[in-house]
Amino acid sequence: MTDTFEAKGKRKKLVEELRLKGIIDEDVLRAIDIVPRHLFMDPAFLSHAYVDKAFPLTSGQTISQPYTVAVQSSLLKVKKRDKILEIGTGSGYQAAILAAMGAKVYTIERHRELFVKAQRTLTSLGYSADFFYGDGYEGKPQYGPYDGIIITAAAQEIPVALLQQLKTGGRLVIPIGSSSSQVMTVVIRTGEESFEHTEHGNFIFVPMLKGTVNG
Ligand code: SAH
């Protein structure tokens, strides 16, 4: 798999578009500039890779819109060597962005096919992350606590198990709402049992579902 001069040029334009849309975190923009998004999609869709839109993957799932990836990554306030847990690996693009920002990434996917493919993609690009096949509702307590947890699927409510896996000062970034629209929510763990919520606009994700799909 290779990056191309043309794709690099398209990424620079995408970064400028994201700046105009209000993304100001330079570390996030740098990661979007260097991670070749087209290699996370079917090669037939190269022309779609650097348009600011979500795009279908296999198994009825989607690779998030670059703007959405940028917003969630900014809200996480990632610092180098932060431990970040992602629920909903999908293509692995968001995981690669976090890895490119220097985070230690743990990511869970409930579709076996996507889990296998994403792992292959990141490895071939030289990004490291720990991949898990399973239901992300329970998180991964054995590797926590985390500086940040990011959910890239629509949740109806905050999974309590995930809050318990945040460090004090850690941030959970989660789209909460119905299947048609969700509010991007940040929950900061301010103490052992105290949490602060803030809201950051409306988004649309595929649903966060229980159980696994072995295919
Ligand atoms: N972050 C992805 C976008 C993923 S779309 C990317 O960068 O491409 C949402 C993903 O969440 C889908 O792949 C879906 O299968 C997965 N998902 C939904 N509910 C889940 C759960 N309970 N545990 C783990 N993954 C889940």
Side-chain angles (χ1 to χ4, degrees), residues 100-149:
M101 293 174 72
K104 169 96 188 83
V105 181
Y106 301 82
T107 181
I108 311 177
E109 172 57 54
R110 67 186 287 277
H111 272 276
R112 186 178 281 284
E113 187 187 356
L114 293 173
F115 153 77
V116 171
K117 207 167 165 196
Q119 202 164 358
R120 223 181 277 143
T121 308
L122 262 83
T123 306
S124 73
L125 291 172
Y127 291 111
S128 81
D130 284 7
F131 292 85
F132 301 93
Y133 166 60
D135 179 350
Y137 268 97
E138 298 305 320
K140 274 285 157 204
Q142 57 272 54
Y143 297 99
Y146 300 95
D147 299 285
I149 301 179

Side-chain angles (χ1 to χ4, degrees), residues 61-62 86 88-89 91 94 109-111 135-136 152 208-209:
Q61 304 304 314
T62 57
E86 179 192 29
T89 313
S91 66
Q94 172 74 72
E109 172 57 54
R110 67 186 287 277
H111 272 276
D135 179 350
T152 65
M208 183 173 183
L209 299 170

